[in-house]
Amino acid sequence: MKNEPRLIEVRVPTKPEGVVLVLHGGGSRKGNMMVSPTQLSVLRLIPTAHRIARRGSGRLAVFRLLNSVRGWDTKHTPVLDVQWAMEQLAAQFGQVPISLVGHSLGGRAAIRAAGGNQVRSAVALAPWLDTSDSRTELPGKKLLMVHGSQDRIASPAMALLAAQALSSSADVGFIQIVGGKHAMLRHHAKFDGFAADYVVATLLGESVTGPVGQVLAGEPFVSV
């Protein structure tokens, strides 16, 4: 049986002003293993999705995407699943703006898919990137990367280099969380809070303060 991506509703108001798609990470497994709703990389993003839903105050539709297979390979990357999901959301809600929020490989997928017509912004939490991601063109898009300084899985230095390169076409901000690690456990309130603030600012036009406010005001790198 072919593995298929799945959308999970977190909050769906009747007439949302924007849609948020939350993207999990997770490494590859042999045999194109399907994604389990209970794997840690999926569970890790549930608090993030609910934080965004609360922050959206009933004005945002929030969904989580379960990828068709685990990991990232040359035949079928999570970007294809994101594109499928955005087609479903467009059919349901019309031409409302979309924000993509992803962790690890989900952060990479968010960046790679952010060029979509309806995408207004993207948040990459501890994104796992390589040099090819720096060549992504995102004209007119808004992008925030949030990375822990002690991440040993996804390189903060690689993410910062990518942010600098992507800023040639997009409005890019980078927030470093001192002491933060890849799992986002110790500083989860900061990771989730910054994502939620960025989404409501870029989709709903709300004024925000703190590190996200600094980034949106034109300060490209903030350390907290």
Side-chain angles (χ1 to χ4, degrees):
M1 183 175 70
K2 182 181 178 182
N3 296 338
E4 300 288 350
R6 289 159 284 172
L7 278 172
I8 298 176
E9 296 182 0
V10 177
R11 180 172 296 181
V12 186
T14 303
K15 294 183 179 181
E17 298 172 45
V19 179
V20 184
L21 185 59
V22 179
L23 315 173
H24 64 82
S28 299
R29 295 293 187 274
K30 291 183 179 180
N32 289 328
M33 184 181 293
M34 70 181 298
V35 171
S36 166
T38 60
Q39 69 188 53
L40 288 178
S41 57
V42 172
L43 297 176
R44 186 172 289 126
L45 273 292
I46 293 177
T48 308
H50 283 279
R51 179 73 174 267
I52 293 169
R54 290 193 301 271
R55 190 73 170 81
S57 302
R59 300 169 64 190
L60 296 174
V62 181
F63 291 81
R64 294 190 296 116
L65 173 64
L66 297 184
N67 293 336
S68 55
V69 294
R70 299 181 68 164
W72 189 295
D73 63 43
T74 56
K75 294 181 180 178
H76 187 101
T77 76
V79 176
L80 296 175
D81 293 332
V82 177
Q83 291 169 342
W84 168 86
M86 290 195 291
E87 290 175 359
Q88 306 306 305
L89 296 173
Q92 183 173 354
F93 300 108
Q95 297 300 305
V96 296
I98 293 174
S99 186
L100 305 174
V101 178
H103 171 252
S104 192
L105 284 179
R108 185 186 193 189
I111 292 170
R112 289 291 191 106
N117 290 335
Q118 288 183 240
V119 178
R120 182 174 295 172
S121 62
V123 181
L125 303 171
W128 192 99
L129 304 174
D130 68 22
T131 54
S132 66
D133 299 305
S134 299
R135 297 191 289 273
T136 305
E137 293 291 329
L138 301 173
K141 307 298 183 178
K142 294 185 178 296
L143 171 64
L144 175 67
M145 293 192 197
V146 185
H147 218 114
S149 65
Q150 299 302 310
D151 194 327
R152 297 292 182 261
I153 305 299
S155 167
M158 178 68 73
L160 182 57
L161 287 173
Q164 293 167 341
L166 292 168
S167 66
S168 64
S169 64
D171 183 1
V172 183
F174 191 103
I175 298 177
Q176 174 186 255
I177 297 179
V178 177
K181 297 183 179 180
H182 192 68
M184 307 188 299
L185 295 177
R186 183 179 177 187
H187 299 279
H188 68 90
K190 291 182 179 178
F191 281 98
D192 295 350
F194 296 155
D197 279 354
Y198 197 76
V199 165
V200 299
T202 55
L203 288 186
L204 301 178
E206 288 195 7
S207 177
V208 297
T209 58
V212 173
Q214 291 174 257
V215 164
L216 290 169
E219 189 171 342
F221 181 90
V222 177
S223 183
V224 297

